Structure formats: structure tokens, C-alpha cells
């Protein structure tokens, strides 16, 4: 008898996009070990999601754990210098009907996952398990615990009960007419009526990557104590990335979008493996200012805007039955402006115990995400120990790849040197 799993609206919203990552160099064993471990996780049950076949046309996803190994293969070994190119090509080979693809390439593991199956936290746990060299490596902690497949209502009610006076303020912020803030484009400049203001365009996703020096997050924490108390490491890094882009020949939009993990609104013991992130775009913000970024992020969290955004997104899906498409239009401004979007996983403690076979500065945990709008640049960051791994996903027929890489190189060299003078001397 065929088992099915009812996908949530947040799952369906993401079911036409992918999460494509690479991690290494680490001890993944051989192909047989990788396959057996993925199969072990998938076979636990549909709630663990890896055995599901994501379907954009139906919320009843079929559970077929035995098929999970069909697209787990071995390829030629690669080295660190090839990763951006290999990750881009691996991403371009994605097939909507294939929920999970894995390629073992020497000491590196490439993962391509339908975004409807989970958000960025699922690949983290999967990598941690697959790169554990112990023969009796334990399953992830959630494998033996109940999984909440539909946590949105619980999270929303919990926030409302705890913050009854903020409800009207939050609704006012989120229900005002306008496009989805996660994917809102910047308003066109006055001269866009000119026939030369736009040119034809088709998606061409690419990725640039860097690894910061050991001790980066420790240095940021010391800096913020005297310059910007209360600010998060994430806010400082986001501002540094924006400042790096501002120093290149690229034009930077006065806005920024952020993905928020809505698990913060649930009891800590709740296990959520599906999609539980929401995006918010902030207009008229100086993305190079750590102070403004911190204020925007902390204010949104305090007002419950992420959980409100997730709720409204599900309402829109139920009304329109349309996933969030990764393709927006067929033309791009002749003078494009970088519209930054951020997804920061923070410190990923699960990966600190991975069986790495290289020093921190020579490791890789990179992501290529669908940038969506032609002018979007998606910045993905993860911290392992005190090192930050930064990926910039963009369209290389809109922004020059060497210029994007040069901006990231500035971040890797010294993110604190990029901060606005008034923040460095405050």
C-alpha cells in the first residue's frame, strides 16, 4: 500500500526550487556507506522527509524510501579551486521530478534537494551524519523524536498569547498593500520608460565563494562590545558584505531582504524538519550600516513579522495554489542595482564534529541558491567554529562574476575594515 504525506503550504511554496550545497573535504567513506546511511534515515518514516517524492501539483506526497538511493552516485574527485564551477554545474543539472540527488566527489559531497522537502537545516543534519567517520555513527537526534509537520498555527498562537499588544502593530506592518516582501523588486527609476532602459534576459545562476579567517566571529564579538552593543554577529557580517559590494563597480540598492527561521517562535523541544523560514525585505535601509541592519532585524523579530509573513504566505498559497517561482520576467535594467538577500544559518554546531580532513580555512560549506529576480544576489552564510563560509548566488549575465568574487574577497580579508566609519569610531 502506497503511503502519502500531506505537505504543508510552506512546503508547497518552495516545491519548485532547490537547495544545492557542497561540503568537504571530509571522510564520507565510500558510496555504499553514503547510500546506506541516507536509506536508513529515509526509512524511518515519511515525517523525516528524505523518502518523500515532492510534487508541485499535489499536497499528497508519495513516500518511497527505497527509491532514495537511485540518484546517489559517485563522480570524479574535485579540489577546492573547482568547487564554485562544479557547484554551479551541479545546480544546473537539477531535475524537478528528482527530489534528492547526491554526488560523492572524492572528499567532497554535493547535495541537491527539492526545497519543498526542507529548509537549510535539513542538509546540515544530513551532512553531519554522512561525514561522521565512526562505523556506529548515531542517527541525528530528531530521528527518534516526534516531528511536527505543521507547526505554523502553534507558533503563531504561541506568539499571540505572549505578545497580545503587538498583534495589531504586526498586522498593520504585513497587511498593507504591496508585493510579497521576500521577493519585492525595487521600484524602477524614473527613466525606465526609455526603450533602452531594459534589455532581454534569461536566468543564468552562478556562485562565488569565500572562507573568512579563523577567529573572525571572535573579532566581531570583541568589536561590537565597544561599538555596537547588542548587535548580532549576523548583522555585522551582513553589513560588511554590503559594504564590500558598495566598494566595487557595482551599484548597490538601498534595501535588504532576510530569511528568518521561525523556529524561534516554538518551544525549544519542537522538532521541525520541513520549511519553516520566512523572508522579509526592508526598503529604505542602508545595508552597509551594521546599526541599521541590527535595528531592522531585531525590530522585525520583536514584532513577530517573520511568523506573520509565513502565515500570510500560506494564505496566499491556499488562495492562488502557486509556488514561489524562481523566474521573474524576461528583461533586466541596463544599469542593474545589486539587491541583496541574506540567509544566515549562524553557528552550525552540528558540523563542528565532522570528520574534516583539512584546516578550517581550507574547508568548504557552500550553497548556490536561486537568486530569483535578475538583480538579486543571495548571500548565504554559515559559521563553523569561528570561521564564516560565504556564498553569493547571482546571475552572471547581470553581474560580472569577477567583480562579485572581488567583493567577497574583501569580506574574507577583513570584514571589520569594511564597516562605516561612524560605527567603527562610535
Amino acid at each position: 500500500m502506497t503511503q502519502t504525506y500531506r505537505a504543508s503550504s510552506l512546503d508547497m511554496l518552495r516545491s519548485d526550487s532547490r537547495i544545492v550545497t557542497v561540503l568537504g573535504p571530509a571522510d564520507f567513506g565510500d558510496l555504499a556507506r553514503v547510500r546506506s546511511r541516507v536509506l536508513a534515515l529515509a526509512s524511518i518514516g515519511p515525517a523525516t522527509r528524505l523518502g518523500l517524492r515532492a510534487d508541485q501539483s499535489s499536497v499528497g506526497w508519495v513516500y518511497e524510501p527505497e527509491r532514495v538511493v537511485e540518484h546517489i552516485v559517485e563522480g570524479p574527485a574535485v579540489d577546492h579551486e573547482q568547487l564554485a564551477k562544479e557547484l554551479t554545474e551541479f545546480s544546473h543539472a537539477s531535475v524537478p521530478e528528482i527530489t534528492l540527488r547526491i554526488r560523492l566527489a572524492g572528499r567532497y559531497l554535493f547535495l541537491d534537494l527539492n526545497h519543498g522537502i526542507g529548509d537549510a537545516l535539513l542538509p546540515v543534519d544530513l551532512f553531519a551524519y554522512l561525514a561522521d567517520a565512526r562505523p556506529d555513527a548515531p542517527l541525528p537526534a530528531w530521528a527518534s523524536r516526534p516531528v511536527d509537520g505543521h507547526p505554523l498555527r502553534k507558533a503563531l498562537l504561541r506568539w499571540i498569547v505572549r505578545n497580545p499588544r503587538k498583534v495589531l502593530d504586526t498586522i498593520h506592518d504585513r497587511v498593507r498593500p504591496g508585493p510579497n516582501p521576500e521577493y519585492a523588486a525595487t521600484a524602477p527609476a524614473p527613466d525606465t520608460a526609455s526603450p533602452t532602459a531594459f534589455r532581454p534576459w534569461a536566468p543564468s545562476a552562478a556562485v562565488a565563494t569565500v572562507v573568512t579567517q579563523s577567529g573572525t566571529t571572535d573579532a566581531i564579538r570583541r568589536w561590537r562590545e565597544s561599538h555596537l552593543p547588542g548587535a548580532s554577529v549576523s548583522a555585522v557580517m551582513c553589513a560588511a558584505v554590503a559594504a564590500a559590494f558598495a566598494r566595487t563597480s557595482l551599484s548597490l540598492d538601498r534595501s535588504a531582504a532576510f530569511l528568518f527561521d521561525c523556529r524561534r517562535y516554538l518551544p525549544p523541544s519542537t522538532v521541525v524538519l520541513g520549511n519553516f523560514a520566512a523572508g522579509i525585505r526592508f526598503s529604505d535601509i542602508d545595508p552597509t550600516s551594521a546599526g541599521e541592519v541590527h535595528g531592522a532585524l531585531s525590530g522585525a523579530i520583536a514584532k513577530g513579522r517573520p511568523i506573520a509573513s509565513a502565515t500570510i504566505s500560506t494564505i496566499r498559497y491556499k488562495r492562488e495554489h502557486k509556488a514561489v517561482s524562481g523566474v521573474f520576467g524576461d528583461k533586466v535594467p541596463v544599469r542593474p542595482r545589486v539587491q541583496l538577500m541574506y540567509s544566515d544559518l549562524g553557528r552550525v554546531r552540528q558540523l563542528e564534529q565532522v570528520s574534516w580532513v583539512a584546516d578550517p580555512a581550507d574547508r568548504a560549506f557552500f550553497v548556490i541558491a536561486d537568486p530569483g529576480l535578475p538583480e538579486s544576489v543571495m548571500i548565504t552564510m554559515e559559521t563553523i567554529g569561528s570561521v564564516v563560509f560565504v556564498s553569493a548566488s547571482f546571475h552572471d549575465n547581470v553581474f560580472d562574476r569577477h567583480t562579485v568574487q572581488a567583493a567577497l574577497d574583501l569580506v574574507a580579508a577583513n570584514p571589520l575594515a569594511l564597516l562605516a566609519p561612524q560605527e567603527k569610531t562610535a
Side-chain angles (χ1 to χ4, degrees), residues 316-332:
R316 284 178 173 154
Y317 173 77
K318 290 176 180 177
R319 184 178 65 223
E320 301 171 3
H321 294 284
K322 184 179 179 181
V324 177
S325 174
V327 179
F328 295 81
D330 58 1
K331 53 187 178 179
V332 63

Side-chain angles (χ1 to χ4, degrees), residues 131-352:
D132 188 333
R134 293 174 293 179
D136 57 346
L139 293 168
W142 47 258
S144 59
R145 294 166 56 191
V147 176
D148 194 328
H150 301 272
L152 184 56
R153 181 179 300 177
K154 180 190 297 183
L156 181 63
L157 290 177
R158 187 170 186 261
W159 184 83
I160 290 174
V161 169
R162 293 186 168 202
N163 303 274
R165 296 181 180 180
K166 295 181 180 179
V167 174
L168 290 178
D169 188 25
T170 301
I171 292 175
H172 175 73
D173 278 350
R174 288 295 293 113
V175 181
R176 286 176 295 179
N180 186 333
E182 183 176 351
Y183 295 96
T186 302
D191 67 347
T192 55
S194 165
T196 61
F198 287 85
R199 62 177 174 82
W201 173 80
S204 180
V207 67
T209 64
V210 291
V211 182
T212 69
Q213 301 175 23
S214 293
T216 294
T217 54
D218 297 330
I220 291 175
R221 291 188 182 95
R222 290 192 297 270
W223 174 89
R224 72 178 179 186
E225 300 231 342
S226 56
H227 295 84
L228 200 59
S232 65
V233 171
S234 179
V236 176
M237 278 297 299
C238 289
V241 169
F245 274 90
R247 292 194 183 189
T248 70
S249 59
L250 303 176
S251 182
L252 184 63
D253 191 59
R254 189 177 170 82
S255 68
F258 300 86
L259 286 178
F260 293 83
D261 185 354
C262 291
R263 292 170 181 82
R264 69 179 72 245
Y265 299 105
L266 289 168
S269 59
T270 307
V271 178
V272 178
L273 298 182
N275 283 294
F276 209 42
I280 299 175
R281 176 167 288 282
F282 299 89
S283 301
D284 195 26
I285 180 179
D286 179 1
T288 70
S289 167
E292 288 196 33
V293 172
H294 166 64
L297 296 178
S298 59
I301 291 170
K303 287 184 177 182
R305 286 187 63 187
I307 196 66
S309 178
T311 302
I312 291 174
S313 294
T314 63
I315 292 172
R316 284 178 173 154
Y317 173 77
K318 290 176 180 177
R319 184 178 65 223
E320 301 171 3
H321 294 284
K322 184 179 179 181
V324 177
S325 174
V327 179
F328 295 81
D330 58 1
K331 53 187 178 179
V332 63
V334 173
R335 297 182 180 85
R337 299 174 66 87
V338 172
Q339 297 178 5
L340 289 171
M341 304 172 65
Y342 295 95
S343 175
D344 185 4
L345 291 185
R347 185 172 179 181
V348 189
R349 298 181 185 276
Q350 302 98 304
L351 297 181
E352 293 179 0

Side-chain angles (χ1 to χ4, degrees), residues 62-150:
V62 177
Y63 175 57
E64 300 174 318
E66 68 283 352
R67 298 191 61 183
V68 76
V69 299
E70 290 180 358
H71 301 283
I72 301 177
V73 301
E74 190 166 13
V78 299
D79 57 36
H80 196 279
E81 289 70 28
Q82 298 172 288
L83 288 181
K85 177 177 178 291
E86 293 290 333
L87 186 59
T88 299
E89 293 178 354
F90 186 67
S91 171
H92 290 177
S94 294
V95 178
E97 293 75 24
I98 300 175
T99 299
L100 173 69
R101 289 193 308 140
I102 290 177
R103 189 178 79 198
L104 179 63
R107 294 293 194 175
Y108 293 92
L109 194 73
F110 291 80
L111 170 66
D112 172 18
L113 182 70
N114 184 298
H115 204 336
I117 294 295
D119 55 29
L121 295 186
L122 185 56
V124 166
D125 282 336
L126 183 56
F127 276 131
Y129 179 49
L130 296 180
D132 188 333
R134 293 174 293 179
D136 57 346
L139 293 168
W142 47 258
S144 59
R145 294 166 56 191
V147 176
D148 194 328
H150 301 272

